Coordinates of all heavy atoms in Angstrom, one line a residue:
Chain D
A161 N 43.5 106.5 -232.7 CA 43.1 105.8 -234.0 C 42.3 104.5 -233.8 O 42.6 103.7 -232.9 CB 44.3 105.6 -234.9
L162 N 41.4 104.4 -234.7 CA 40.4 103.1 -234.5 C 41.2 102.0 -235.4 O 41.2 102.3 -236.6 CB 39.0 103.4 -235.1 CG 38.3 102.1 -234.8 CD1 37.7 102.0 -233.4 CD2 37.1 102.0 -235.9
V163 N 41.6 101.1 -234.8 CA 42.5 100.0 -235.4 C 41.6 98.8 -235.5 O 41.0 98.3 -234.6 CB 43.7 99.6 -234.5 CG1 44.5 98.6 -235.2 CG2 44.5 100.9 -234.4
Y164 N 41.7 98.1 -236.7 CA 40.9 96.9 -237.1 C 42.0 95.8 -236.5 O 43.1 95.7 -236.7 CB 40.8 96.7 -238.5 CG 40.5 95.2 -239.1 CD1 39.3 94.6 -238.5 CD2 41.2 94.6 -239.9 CE1 38.9 93.4 -239.0 CE2 40.9 93.4 -240.4 CZ 39.7 92.7 -240.0 OH 39.3 91.5 -240.4
Q165 N 41.3 94.9 -235.7 CA 42.2 93.9 -235.0 C 41.9 92.4 -235.5 O 42.3 91.5 -234.7 CB 42.0 93.9 -233.5 CG 42.4 95.4 -233.0 CD 42.2 95.5 -231.4 OE1 41.2 95.1 -230.9 NE2 43.1 96.3 -230.9
G166 N 41.2 92.3 -236.6 CA 40.8 91.1 -237.1 C 39.4 90.9 -236.9 O 38.7 91.7 -236.2
P167 N 38.8 89.8 -237.6 CA 37.4 89.6 -237.7 C 36.6 89.9 -236.4 O 36.9 89.2 -235.5 CB 37.3 88.3 -238.3 CG 38.5 88.0 -239.1 CD 39.6 88.9 -238.4
G168 N 35.6 90.8 -236.5 CA 34.9 91.1 -235.3 C 35.5 92.0 -234.1 O 34.9 92.3 -233.2
K169 N 36.8 92.5 -234.4 CA 37.4 93.1 -233.3 C 38.1 94.5 -233.8 O 38.6 94.6 -235.0 CB 38.6 92.3 -232.8 CG 38.1 91.2 -232.0 CD 39.2 90.4 -231.4 CE 40.1 89.6 -232.3 NZ 41.0 88.7 -231.7
M170 N 37.9 95.4 -233.0 CA 38.4 96.8 -233.3 C 38.7 97.4 -232.0 O 38.0 97.2 -231.0 CB 37.6 97.8 -234.2 CG 36.2 98.0 -233.5 SD 35.1 99.0 -234.6 CE 33.6 98.7 -233.8
A171 N 39.5 98.6 -231.9 CA 39.7 99.3 -230.6 C 40.3 100.6 -231.0 O 41.0 100.7 -232.1 CB 40.6 98.5 -229.8
L172 N 40.0 101.6 -230.2 CA 40.6 102.9 -230.3 C 42.0 102.7 -229.6 O 42.1 102.5 -228.3 CB 39.8 104.0 -229.5 CG 40.1 105.4 -229.9 CD1 39.9 105.8 -231.3 CD2 39.2 106.2 -229.1
E173 N 43.1 102.9 -230.3 CA 44.3 102.8 -229.8 C 45.2 104.1 -229.9 O 44.9 105.0 -230.7 CB 45.2 101.7 -230.7 CG 44.6 100.4 -230.7 CD 45.3 99.4 -231.5 OE1 46.4 99.7 -232.1 OE2 44.9 98.1 -231.6
D174 N 46.3 104.1 -229.2 CA 47.3 105.2 -229.4 C 48.3 104.8 -230.4 O 48.9 103.7 -230.4 CB 48.0 105.4 -228.1 CG 47.4 106.6 -227.3 OD1 47.1 107.6 -227.8 OD2 47.0 106.3 -226.1
R175 N 48.4 105.5 -231.4 CA 49.3 105.4 -232.5 C 50.2 106.5 -232.8 O 49.7 107.6 -232.5 CB 48.5 105.0 -233.9 CG 47.8 103.6 -233.9 CD 48.9 102.7 -234.1 NE 48.5 101.2 -234.3 CZ 48.2 100.8 -235.5 NH1 48.5 101.5 -236.6 NH2 47.6 99.6 -235.8
P176 N 51.4 106.3 -233.4 CA 52.3 107.5 -233.7 C 51.6 108.4 -234.7 O 51.0 107.8 -235.7 CB 53.6 106.8 -234.1 CG 53.3 105.4 -234.4 CD 52.0 105.0 -233.7
K177 N 51.8 109.5 -234.7 CA 51.3 110.4 -235.8 C 52.0 110.0 -237.1 O 53.2 109.9 -237.0 CB 51.6 112.0 -235.4 CG 51.1 112.8 -236.4 CD 51.6 114.3 -236.0 CE 51.4 115.3 -237.2 NZ 51.9 116.7 -236.7
P178 N 51.3 109.9 -238.3 CA 51.9 109.5 -239.5 C 52.9 110.6 -240.1 O 52.8 111.7 -239.6 CB 50.7 109.3 -240.5 CG 49.6 110.3 -239.9 CD 49.9 110.2 -238.4
V179 N 53.8 110.1 -240.7 CA 54.8 111.0 -241.4 C 54.9 110.8 -242.9 O 54.4 109.9 -243.4 CB 56.3 110.7 -240.9 CG1 56.3 110.9 -239.4 CG2 56.6 109.2 -241.2
L180 N 55.4 112.0 -243.5 CA 55.4 112.0 -245.0 C 56.4 110.8 -245.5 O 57.4 110.7 -244.8 CB 55.9 113.3 -245.5 CG 55.1 114.6 -245.1 CD1 55.9 115.9 -245.3 CD2 53.8 114.5 -246.0
Q181 N 55.9 110.2 -246.5 CA 56.7 109.1 -246.9 C 57.2 109.4 -248.5 O 58.2 108.8 -248.9 CB 55.9 107.7 -246.9 CG 55.7 107.3 -245.5 CD 54.8 105.9 -245.5 OE1 54.8 105.3 -246.4 NE2 54.3 105.8 -244.3
A182 N 56.4 110.1 -249.2 CA 56.8 110.3 -250.7 C 56.5 111.8 -250.9 O 55.7 112.4 -250.2 CB 55.8 109.4 -251.5
P183 N 57.1 112.3 -252.0 CA 57.0 113.6 -252.3 C 55.6 114.2 -252.5 O 55.2 115.4 -252.3 CB 57.8 113.9 -253.5 CG 58.8 112.6 -253.7 CD 58.0 111.7 -253.0
G184 N 54.7 113.2 -252.9 CA 53.3 113.6 -253.2 C 52.4 113.5 -252.0 O 51.1 113.8 -252.1
D185 N 52.9 113.1 -250.8 CA 52.1 112.9 -249.7 C 51.6 114.3 -249.0 O 52.3 115.2 -249.1 CB 52.9 112.1 -248.6 CG 52.9 110.6 -249.0 OD1 52.3 110.2 -249.9 OD2 53.6 110.0 -248.2
A186 N 50.6 114.2 -248.2 CA 50.2 115.2 -247.3 C 49.9 114.5 -246.0 O 49.2 113.4 -245.9 CB 49.0 116.0 -247.8
I187 N 50.1 115.2 -244.9 CA 49.6 114.7 -243.5 C 48.3 115.7 -243.4 O 48.5 117.0 -243.3 CB 50.5 114.8 -242.4 CG1 51.8 114.0 -242.8 CG2 49.9 114.5 -241.1 CD1 51.6 112.6 -243.1
V188 N 47.1 115.1 -242.9 CA 46.0 115.8 -242.8 C 45.4 115.6 -241.4 O 45.4 114.4 -240.9 CB 44.8 115.5 -243.8 CG1 43.5 116.3 -243.5 CG2 45.3 115.6 -245.2
K189 N 45.3 116.7 -240.7 CA 44.6 116.7 -239.3 C 43.1 116.5 -239.6 O 42.5 117.5 -240.1 CB 45.0 117.8 -238.5 CG 44.4 117.8 -237.1 CD 44.9 118.9 -236.2 CE 44.4 118.9 -234.8 NZ 43.3 117.9 -234.5
L190 N 42.6 115.5 -239.1 CA 41.1 115.2 -239.3 C 40.3 116.2 -238.4 O 40.7 116.6 -237.3 CB 40.7 113.8 -238.9 CG 40.7 112.8 -239.9 CD1 39.7 113.0 -241.0 CD2 42.1 112.6 -240.5
L191 N 39.2 116.7 -239.0 CA 38.2 117.5 -238.4 C 36.9 116.7 -238.1 O 36.4 116.5 -237.0 CB 37.8 118.8 -239.1 CG 38.9 119.8 -239.3 CD1 38.5 120.9 -240.3 CD2 39.3 120.4 -237.9
K192 N 36.5 116.0 -239.2 CA 35.4 115.2 -239.1 C 35.4 113.9 -240.0 O 36.1 114.0 -241.0 CB 34.1 115.9 -239.6 CG 33.7 117.1 -238.7 CD 32.5 117.9 -239.3 CE 32.5 119.4 -238.6 NZ 32.1 119.2 -237.1
T193 N 35.1 112.8 -239.6 CA 35.1 111.5 -240.4 C 33.8 110.9 -240.2 O 32.9 111.4 -239.6 CB 36.3 110.7 -240.2 OG1 36.2 109.6 -241.0 CG2 36.2 110.3 -238.7
T194 N 33.7 109.7 -240.9 CA 32.3 109.1 -240.8 C 32.6 107.5 -241.0 O 33.8 107.2 -241.2 CB 31.3 109.5 -241.8 OG1 30.1 108.9 -241.5 CG2 31.8 109.4 -243.2
I195 N 31.5 106.8 -240.9 CA 31.7 105.3 -241.0 C 31.0 104.9 -242.3 O 29.8 105.4 -242.6 CB 31.2 104.5 -239.8 CG1 31.8 105.0 -238.5 CG2 31.4 103.0 -239.9 CD1 31.2 104.5 -237.3
C196 N 31.4 104.0 -243.0 CA 31.0 103.5 -244.4 C 30.5 102.1 -244.1 O 31.0 101.3 -243.4 CB 32.0 103.6 -245.4 SG 31.4 103.0 -247.0
G197 N 29.6 101.6 -245.0 CA 29.1 100.2 -244.9 C 30.3 99.3 -245.2 O 30.4 98.3 -244.7
T198 N 31.2 99.7 -245.9 CA 32.4 99.0 -246.4 C 33.2 98.6 -245.0 O 33.9 97.5 -244.9 CB 33.2 99.7 -247.2 OG1 32.4 100.2 -248.4 CG2 34.2 98.8 -247.9
D199 N 33.3 99.6 -244.0 CA 34.0 99.4 -242.9 C 33.4 98.1 -242.1 O 34.1 97.4 -241.4 CB 33.8 100.8 -242.0 CG 34.6 101.9 -242.5 OD1 35.8 101.6 -243.2 OD2 34.2 103.0 -242.4
L200 N 32.1 98.2 -242.2 CA 31.4 97.0 -241.6 C 31.9 95.7 -242.3 O 32.0 94.6 -241.6 CB 29.9 97.1 -241.5 CG 29.3 98.3 -240.8 CD1 27.9 98.4 -240.8 CD2 29.9 98.6 -239.4
H201 N 31.9 95.7 -243.5 CA 32.5 94.5 -244.3 C 33.9 94.2 -243.8 O 34.1 92.9 -243.7 CB 32.5 94.8 -245.7 CG 31.1 94.7 -246.4 ND1 30.5 93.6 -246.7 CD2 30.4 95.7 -246.9 CE1 29.4 93.8 -247.3 NE2 29.3 95.1 -247.6
I202 N 34.8 95.2 -243.6 CA 36.0 94.9 -243.2 C 36.0 94.1 -241.8 O 36.7 93.2 -241.6 CB 36.9 96.1 -243.1 CG1 37.2 96.7 -244.5 CG2 38.2 95.9 -242.3 CD1 37.8 98.0 -244.5
L203 N 35.2 94.7 -241.0 CA 35.1 94.1 -239.6 C 34.7 92.8 -239.6 O 34.9 91.9 -238.7 CB 34.1 95.1 -238.8 CG 34.9 96.1 -237.9 CD1 33.8 97.0 -237.4 CD2 35.9 95.6 -237.0
K204 N 33.7 92.4 -240.4 CA 33.3 91.0 -240.7 C 34.4 90.1 -241.3 O 34.1 88.9 -241.3 CB 32.1 91.0 -241.7 CG 30.8 91.4 -241.0 CD 29.6 91.1 -241.9 CE 28.4 91.8 -241.7 NZ 27.6 92.1 -242.9
G205 N 35.5 90.7 -241.7 CA 36.5 89.7 -242.3 C 36.4 89.5 -243.7 O 36.9 88.7 -244.3
D206 N 35.4 90.3 -244.4 CA 35.1 90.3 -245.8 C 36.0 90.8 -246.8 O 35.9 90.5 -248.0 CB 33.7 90.6 -246.1 CG 32.7 89.7 -245.4 OD1 32.8 88.7 -244.9 OD2 31.5 90.2 -245.5
V207 N 36.9 91.6 -246.4 CA 37.8 92.4 -247.3 C 39.2 91.9 -247.1 O 39.9 92.3 -246.2 CB 37.7 93.9 -247.0 CG1 38.6 94.7 -248.0 CG2 36.2 94.4 -247.1
A208 N 39.6 91.0 -248.0 CA 40.9 90.3 -247.8 C 42.2 91.2 -247.9 O 43.2 91.0 -247.3 CB 41.1 89.2 -248.9
T209 N 41.9 92.4 -248.6 CA 43.2 93.3 -248.6 C 43.5 94.0 -247.4 O 44.5 94.7 -247.3 CB 42.8 94.3 -249.8 OG1 41.5 94.8 -249.6 CG2 43.0 93.6 -251.2
C210 N 42.5 94.0 -246.4 CA 42.7 94.9 -245.3 C 43.2 93.9 -244.0 O 42.4 93.1 -243.5 CB 41.4 95.5 -244.9 SG 41.5 96.6 -243.5
A211 N 44.4 94.0 -243.7 CA 45.2 93.3 -242.7 C 44.8 93.8 -241.3 O 44.8 95.1 -241.0 CB 46.5 93.2 -243.0
P212 N 44.8 92.9 -240.3 CA 44.6 93.5 -238.9 C 45.9 94.4 -238.6 O 46.9 94.2 -239.1 CB 44.8 92.2 -238.0 CG 44.3 91.0 -238.9 CD 44.7 91.5 -240.3
G213 N 45.5 95.4 -237.7 CA 46.4 96.4 -237.4 C 46.2 97.6 -238.2 O 46.8 98.7 -238.0
R214 N 45.4 97.6 -239.1 CA 45.1 98.9 -240.0 C 44.1 99.8 -239.3 O 43.3 99.4 -238.7 CB 44.3 98.2 -241.4 CG 43.9 99.3 -242.3 CD 45.2 99.9 -243.0 NE 45.8 98.9 -243.8 CZ 47.1 98.6 -243.5 NH1 47.8 99.2 -242.8 NH2 47.7 97.7 -244.4
I215 N 44.5 101.1 -239.5 CA 43.5 102.2 -239.0 C 42.5 102.2 -240.0 O 42.9 102.3 -241.3 CB 44.4 103.6 -238.9 CG1 45.3 103.4 -237.8 CG2 43.3 104.7 -238.6 CD1 46.3 104.6 -237.8
L216 N 41.1 102.2 -239.7 CA 40.0 102.1 -240.7 C 39.8 103.6 -241.2 O 40.2 104.6 -240.6 CB 38.8 101.5 -240.0 CG 39.1 100.0 -239.7 CD1 37.8 99.4 -239.0 CD2 39.2 99.2 -241.0
G217 N 38.8 103.7 -242.1 CA 38.2 104.9 -242.4 C 38.8 105.5 -243.8 O 40.0 105.4 -244.0
H218 N 37.9 106.0 -244.7 CA 38.4 106.4 -246.0 C 37.6 107.8 -246.3 O 37.4 108.0 -247.5 CB 38.3 105.3 -247.1 CG 36.9 104.7 -247.0 ND1 36.6 103.6 -246.4 CD2 35.8 105.0 -247.7 CE1 35.3 103.2 -246.5 NE2 34.8 104.2 -247.4
E219 N 37.1 108.4 -245.3 CA 36.3 109.6 -245.6 C 36.6 110.6 -244.5 O 37.1 110.2 -243.5 CB 34.7 109.3 -245.3 CG 34.2 108.2 -246.3 CD 32.9 107.7 -245.9 OE1 32.8 106.7 -245.1 OE2 31.8 108.1 -246.5
G220 N 36.4 111.8 -244.8 CA 36.6 112.9 -243.9 C 37.0 114.3 -244.6 O 37.3 114.4 -245.7
V221 N 37.0 115.2 -243.6 CA 37.6 116.6 -243.9 C 38.6 116.8 -242.9 O 38.5 116.5 -241.7 CB 36.4 117.7 -243.9 CG1 35.4 117.5 -245.1 CG2 35.7 117.8 -242.7
G222 N 39.5 117.7 -243.2 CA 40.4 118.1 -242.3 C 41.3 119.3 -242.7 O 40.9 120.0 -243.6
V223 N 42.4 119.4 -241.9 CA 43.2 120.6 -242.2 C 44.6 120.1 -242.5 O 45.2 119.2 -242.0 CB 43.4 121.6 -241.0 CG1 44.2 122.8 -241.3 CG2 42.0 121.9 -240.4
I224 N 45.3 120.6 -243.7 CA 46.6 120.2 -244.0 C 47.5 120.6 -242.9 O 47.6 121.7 -242.4 CB 47.0 120.9 -245.3 CG1 46.2 120.6 -246.5 CG2 48.6 120.6 -245.6 CD1 46.3 119.3 -247.1
D225 N 48.3 119.6 -242.5 CA 49.3 119.6 -241.4 C 50.7 119.8 -242.1 O 51.5 120.7 -241.6 CB 49.4 118.5 -240.5 CG 50.2 118.5 -239.5 OD1 50.1 119.2 -238.4 OD2 51.3 117.7 -239.5
S226 N 51.0 119.1 -243.2 CA 52.3 119.1 -243.8 C 52.1 118.7 -245.2 O 51.3 117.8 -245.4 CB 53.3 118.5 -242.9 OG 53.1 117.1 -242.9
V227 N 53.1 118.9 -246.0 CA 52.8 118.4 -247.4 C 54.4 118.0 -247.9 O 55.3 118.6 -247.5 CB 52.4 119.4 -248.4 CG1 50.9 119.7 -248.0 CG2 53.2 120.7 -248.5
G228 N 54.4 117.0 -248.8 CA 55.7 116.6 -249.3 C 56.3 117.5 -250.4 O 55.5 118.6 -250.7
A229 N 57.4 117.4 -250.8 CA 58.1 118.4 -251.7 C 57.4 118.5 -253.1 O 57.6 119.5 -253.6 CB 59.5 117.9 -251.8

Side-chain angles (χ1 to χ4, degrees):
Chain D
L162 186 81
V163 177
Y164 169 58
Q165 298 179 324
K169 288 184 290 184
M170 63 177 159
L172 195 65
E173 298 184 1
D174 266 309
R175 282 291 189 93
K177 181 179 163 185
V179 294
L180 297 168
Q181 295 179 17
D185 285 354
I187 305 298
V188 180
K189 181 176 187 343
L190 268 296
L191 293 171
K192 294 169 197 294
T193 182
T194 183
I195 306 171
C196 180
T198 315
D199 295 323
L200 302 183
H201 280 290
I202 292 174
L203 274 174
K204 284 191 200 150
D206 287 350
V207 180
T209 46
C210 184
R214 179 70 63 237
I215 299 174
L216 294 177
H218 50 266
E219 301 166 275
V221 300
V223 184
I224 297 283
D225 181 71
S226 60
V227 296

